[in-house]
Amino acid sequence: MPRITPYPHSEASGDRKELMDAVKQQFGGVINMFGTVAHSPAALESMLGSFGALGKGRLGPALGEQIAVAVANANGCEYCLSAHTVLGKKAGVSAEAMEEARQGRSADPRSQAAIAFALKVVETRAHIETHDLEELRAAGFDDEEMVEIVAHVALNLFTNYVNVAFDVDVDFPSVKPRQAAA
């Protein structure tokens, strides 16, 4: 598989060093995904900005992590599936609920609606129908939250594609993708 090795933090300077230092402060080290993206300081700044902004969004970290594992599983991204499984548990989501999300499901009707919509956005390349938005509204989502769901999908597509395209070594306990339930 194609591979880009992580940019060595010890060799970073300027904007790249500042961004990698921020990653190190947040994660205790420059994990492989961020190190790989650090080859482009612009891309790393974009990624960090998106994570930061969405972390302050209305969906909240638990639902964001459930969307992330559903999207990662759909895209066959072991790195993101592994990372977001850990992050979901840190956000207070049970192991069972994270496994359900991985399969595109949730026992909570509101979370189920968001996960199903996120997966439809992935599967249809965002060619959704009016009834898809109506179903989200019926589940209690407003326009702001619906835009955030799409933003979470877009960010996860970026990270999934980086990790799959460049065969990034997984820094977390491995969770292998599998076919989502129909």
Side-chain angles (χ1 to χ4, degrees), residues 116-144:
F117 178 76
L119 289 173
K120 183 153 190 188
V121 168
V122 171
E123 292 162 6
T124 66
R125 293 187 173 114
H127 292 276
I128 58 169
E129 305 291 333
T130 301
H131 70 87
D132 297 314
L133 299 180
E134 291 168 353
E135 288 173 10
L136 279 178
R137 286 188 180 100
F141 289 95
D142 62 22
D143 292 353
E144 180 179 349

Short mmCIF file of all heavy atoms in Angstrom, two decimals, residues 116-144:
data_model
loop_
_atom_site.label_atom_id
_atom_site.label_comp_id
_atom_site.label_asym_id
_atom_site.label_seq_id
_atom_site.Cartn_x
_atom_site.Cartn_y
_atom_site.Cartn_z
N ALA A 116 -27.95 7.35 10.85
CA ALA A 116 -28.51 6.91 9.56
C ALA A 116 -28.33 8.00 8.50
O ALA A 116 -27.97 7.72 7.35
CB ALA A 116 -29.98 6.54 9.72
N PHE A 117 -28.57 9.25 8.89
CA PHE A 117 -28.41 10.36 7.95
C PHE A 117 -26.94 10.49 7.54
O PHE A 117 -26.64 10.64 6.35
CB PHE A 117 -28.91 11.66 8.57
CG PHE A 117 -28.72 12.85 7.68
CD1 PHE A 117 -29.56 13.05 6.58
CD2 PHE A 117 -27.73 13.78 7.93
CE1 PHE A 117 -29.39 14.15 5.75
CE2 PHE A 117 -27.55 14.88 7.10
CZ PHE A 117 -28.39 15.06 6.01
N ALA A 118 -26.03 10.43 8.51
CA ALA A 118 -24.60 10.54 8.20
C ALA A 118 -24.17 9.45 7.21
O ALA A 118 -23.45 9.73 6.24
CB ALA A 118 -23.78 10.45 9.48
N LEU A 119 -24.63 8.24 7.44
CA LEU A 119 -24.28 7.15 6.53
C LEU A 119 -24.90 7.34 5.15
O LEU A 119 -24.28 7.02 4.13
CB LEU A 119 -24.67 5.80 7.13
CG LEU A 119 -23.81 5.37 8.32
CD1 LEU A 119 -24.37 4.11 8.95
CD2 LEU A 119 -22.36 5.17 7.89
N LYS A 120 -26.11 7.90 5.10
CA LYS A 120 -26.72 8.17 3.79
C LYS A 120 -25.92 9.23 3.06
O LYS A 120 -25.73 9.13 1.84
CB LYS A 120 -28.17 8.59 3.95
CG LYS A 120 -28.82 8.79 2.60
CD LYS A 120 -30.29 8.59 2.60
CE LYS A 120 -30.80 8.57 1.16
NZ LYS A 120 -32.24 8.55 1.11
N VAL A 121 -25.44 10.24 3.77
CA VAL A 121 -24.60 11.27 3.15
C VAL A 121 -23.36 10.62 2.55
O VAL A 121 -22.97 10.92 1.41
CB VAL A 121 -24.23 12.38 4.16
CG1 VAL A 121 -23.14 13.29 3.62
CG2 VAL A 121 -25.47 13.20 4.53
N VAL A 122 -22.74 9.70 3.29
CA VAL A 122 -21.55 9.01 2.78
C VAL A 122 -21.91 8.16 1.56
O VAL A 122 -21.24 8.25 0.52
CB VAL A 122 -20.91 8.13 3.89
CG1 VAL A 122 -19.82 7.23 3.32
CG2 VAL A 122 -20.36 8.99 5.02
N GLU A 123 -22.92 7.35 1.71
CA GLU A 123 -23.28 6.39 0.66
C GLU A 123 -23.75 7.05 -0.63
O GLU A 123 -23.49 6.54 -1.72
CB GLU A 123 -24.36 5.43 1.18
CG GLU A 123 -23.85 4.51 2.27
CD GLU A 123 -24.97 3.88 3.08
OE1 GLU A 123 -26.17 4.04 2.75
OE2 GLU A 123 -24.64 3.22 4.09
N THR A 124 -24.44 8.18 -0.51
CA THR A 124 -24.99 8.84 -1.70
C THR A 124 -24.15 10.02 -2.16
O THR A 124 -24.56 10.74 -3.07
CB THR A 124 -26.43 9.34 -1.44
OG1 THR A 124 -26.40 10.38 -0.46
CG2 THR A 124 -27.34 8.20 -1.01
N ARG A 125 -23.01 10.23 -1.50
CA ARG A 125 -22.17 11.40 -1.77
C ARG A 125 -23.00 12.68 -1.63
O ARG A 125 -22.91 13.59 -2.44
CB ARG A 125 -21.50 11.29 -3.12
CG ARG A 125 -20.48 10.17 -3.16
CD ARG A 125 -19.72 10.18 -4.46
NE ARG A 125 -18.64 9.20 -4.38
CZ ARG A 125 -18.59 8.11 -5.13
NH1 ARG A 125 -19.52 7.86 -6.03
NH2 ARG A 125 -17.60 7.27 -5.00
N ALA A 126 -23.81 12.69 -0.59
CA ALA A 126 -24.64 13.82 -0.17
C ALA A 126 -25.83 14.10 -1.07
O ALA A 126 -26.48 15.14 -0.94
CB ALA A 126 -23.80 15.08 0.02
N HIS A 127 -26.17 13.19 -1.94
CA HIS A 127 -27.36 13.35 -2.77
C HIS A 127 -28.57 12.83 -1.98
O HIS A 127 -29.10 11.76 -2.25
CB HIS A 127 -27.21 12.62 -4.11
CG HIS A 127 -26.18 13.24 -4.97
ND1 HIS A 127 -26.45 14.32 -5.79
CD2 HIS A 127 -24.86 12.97 -5.13
CE1 HIS A 127 -25.35 14.67 -6.42
NE2 HIS A 127 -24.38 13.88 -6.04
N ILE A 128 -28.96 13.64 -1.00
CA ILE A 128 -30.05 13.26 -0.11
C ILE A 128 -31.37 13.81 -0.65
O ILE A 128 -31.38 14.64 -1.55
CB ILE A 128 -29.79 13.75 1.32
CG1 ILE A 128 -29.59 15.26 1.33
CG2 ILE A 128 -28.56 13.04 1.91
CD1 ILE A 128 -29.59 15.88 2.69
N GLU A 129 -32.45 13.37 -0.05
CA GLU A 129 -33.79 13.77 -0.46
C GLU A 129 -34.43 14.63 0.63
O GLU A 129 -33.99 14.60 1.79
CB GLU A 129 -34.65 12.53 -0.71
CG GLU A 129 -34.07 11.54 -1.71
CD GLU A 129 -34.05 12.08 -3.14
OE1 GLU A 129 -34.89 12.94 -3.46
OE2 GLU A 129 -33.19 11.63 -3.93
N THR A 130 -35.47 15.33 0.27
CA THR A 130 -36.20 16.16 1.24
C THR A 130 -36.66 15.34 2.44
O THR A 130 -36.56 15.79 3.58
CB THR A 130 -37.42 16.82 0.55
OG1 THR A 130 -36.95 17.62 -0.53
CG2 THR A 130 -38.19 17.70 1.52
N HIS A 131 -37.11 14.12 2.20
CA HIS A 131 -37.61 13.29 3.31
C HIS A 131 -36.49 12.96 4.30
O HIS A 131 -36.77 12.74 5.49
CB HIS A 131 -38.31 12.03 2.80
CG HIS A 131 -37.40 11.02 2.17
ND1 HIS A 131 -36.75 10.05 2.89
CD2 HIS A 131 -37.03 10.84 0.89
CE1 HIS A 131 -36.01 9.31 2.09
NE2 HIS A 131 -36.17 9.77 0.86
N ASP A 132 -35.24 12.95 3.85
CA ASP A 132 -34.13 12.70 4.78
C ASP A 132 -34.02 13.82 5.81
O ASP A 132 -33.80 13.56 6.99
CB ASP A 132 -32.81 12.56 4.01
CG ASP A 132 -32.80 11.38 3.06
OD1 ASP A 132 -33.22 10.27 3.48
OD2 ASP A 132 -32.39 11.57 1.91
N LEU A 133 -34.17 15.05 5.34
CA LEU A 133 -34.15 16.20 6.26
C LEU A 133 -35.40 16.20 7.15
O LEU A 133 -35.31 16.51 8.34
CB LEU A 133 -34.04 17.51 5.49
CG LEU A 133 -32.78 17.68 4.65
CD1 LEU A 133 -32.79 19.02 3.93
CD2 LEU A 133 -31.52 17.53 5.49
N GLU A 134 -36.52 15.83 6.58
CA GLU A 134 -37.76 15.76 7.37
C GLU A 134 -37.64 14.73 8.49
O GLU A 134 -38.12 14.96 9.60
CB GLU A 134 -38.95 15.44 6.46
CG GLU A 134 -39.30 16.57 5.52
CD GLU A 134 -40.27 16.19 4.42
OE1 GLU A 134 -40.61 14.98 4.27
OE2 GLU A 134 -40.68 17.10 3.68
N GLU A 135 -36.98 13.61 8.22
CA GLU A 135 -36.78 12.59 9.26
C GLU A 135 -35.88 13.13 10.38
O GLU A 135 -36.13 12.86 11.55
CB GLU A 135 -36.18 11.33 8.64
CG GLU A 135 -37.16 10.55 7.80
CD GLU A 135 -36.53 9.38 7.05
OE1 GLU A 135 -35.35 9.03 7.30
OE2 GLU A 135 -37.23 8.80 6.19
N LEU A 136 -34.86 13.89 10.01
CA LEU A 136 -34.00 14.49 11.05
C LEU A 136 -34.79 15.50 11.88
O LEU A 136 -34.67 15.52 13.11
CB LEU A 136 -32.79 15.19 10.42
CG LEU A 136 -31.62 14.31 10.04
CD1 LEU A 136 -30.53 15.15 9.38
CD2 LEU A 136 -31.05 13.58 11.25
N ARG A 137 -35.58 16.32 11.22
CA ARG A 137 -36.39 17.29 11.96
C ARG A 137 -37.37 16.58 12.90
O ARG A 137 -37.55 16.99 14.04
CB ARG A 137 -37.13 18.22 11.00
CG ARG A 137 -36.22 19.25 10.36
CD ARG A 137 -37.00 20.29 9.54
NE ARG A 137 -36.07 21.23 8.96
CZ ARG A 137 -35.65 21.18 7.70
NH1 ARG A 137 -36.10 20.25 6.87
NH2 ARG A 137 -34.80 22.08 7.25
N ALA A 138 -37.96 15.50 12.44
CA ALA A 138 -38.90 14.74 13.27
C ALA A 138 -38.19 14.13 14.48
O ALA A 138 -38.81 13.94 15.53
CB ALA A 138 -39.57 13.64 12.44
N ALA A 139 -36.89 13.86 14.35
CA ALA A 139 -36.11 13.32 15.47
C ALA A 139 -35.61 14.42 16.40
O ALA A 139 -34.93 14.13 17.38
CB ALA A 139 -34.93 12.51 14.93
N GLY A 140 -35.91 15.68 16.07
CA GLY A 140 -35.57 16.78 16.96
C GLY A 140 -34.36 17.60 16.56
O GLY A 140 -33.88 18.42 17.34
N PHE A 141 -33.86 17.42 15.35
CA PHE A 141 -32.70 18.19 14.89
C PHE A 141 -33.16 19.45 14.18
O PHE A 141 -34.11 19.44 13.40
CB PHE A 141 -31.83 17.36 13.93
CG PHE A 141 -31.10 16.25 14.63
CD1 PHE A 141 -31.63 14.97 14.66
CD2 PHE A 141 -29.89 16.48 15.26
CE1 PHE A 141 -30.98 13.94 15.31
CE2 PHE A 141 -29.23 15.46 15.92
CZ PHE A 141 -29.77 14.18 15.95
N ASP A 142 -32.45 20.56 14.46
CA ASP A 142 -32.72 21.80 13.74
C ASP A 142 -31.67 21.97 12.64
O ASP A 142 -30.78 21.14 12.48
CB ASP A 142 -32.76 22.99 14.71
CG ASP A 142 -31.45 23.25 15.44
OD1 ASP A 142 -30.37 22.82 14.97
OD2 ASP A 142 -31.50 23.90 16.50
N ASP A 143 -31.79 23.05 11.88
CA ASP A 143 -30.90 23.27 10.75
C ASP A 143 -29.43 23.34 11.17
O ASP A 143 -28.56 22.81 10.48
CB ASP A 143 -31.29 24.54 10.00
CG ASP A 143 -32.63 24.43 9.28
OD1 ASP A 143 -33.22 23.32 9.25
OD2 ASP A 143 -33.09 25.45 8.74
N GLU A 144 -29.16 24.00 12.29
CA GLU A 144 -27.78 24.11 12.77
C GLU A 144 -27.18 22.72 13.02
O GLU A 144 -26.06 22.42 12.59
CB GLU A 144 -27.73 24.93 14.06
CG GLU A 144 -26.34 25.09 14.63
CD GLU A 144 -26.29 25.93 15.91
OE1 GLU A 144 -27.30 26.59 16.25
OE2 GLU A 144 -25.24 25.93 16.56
#
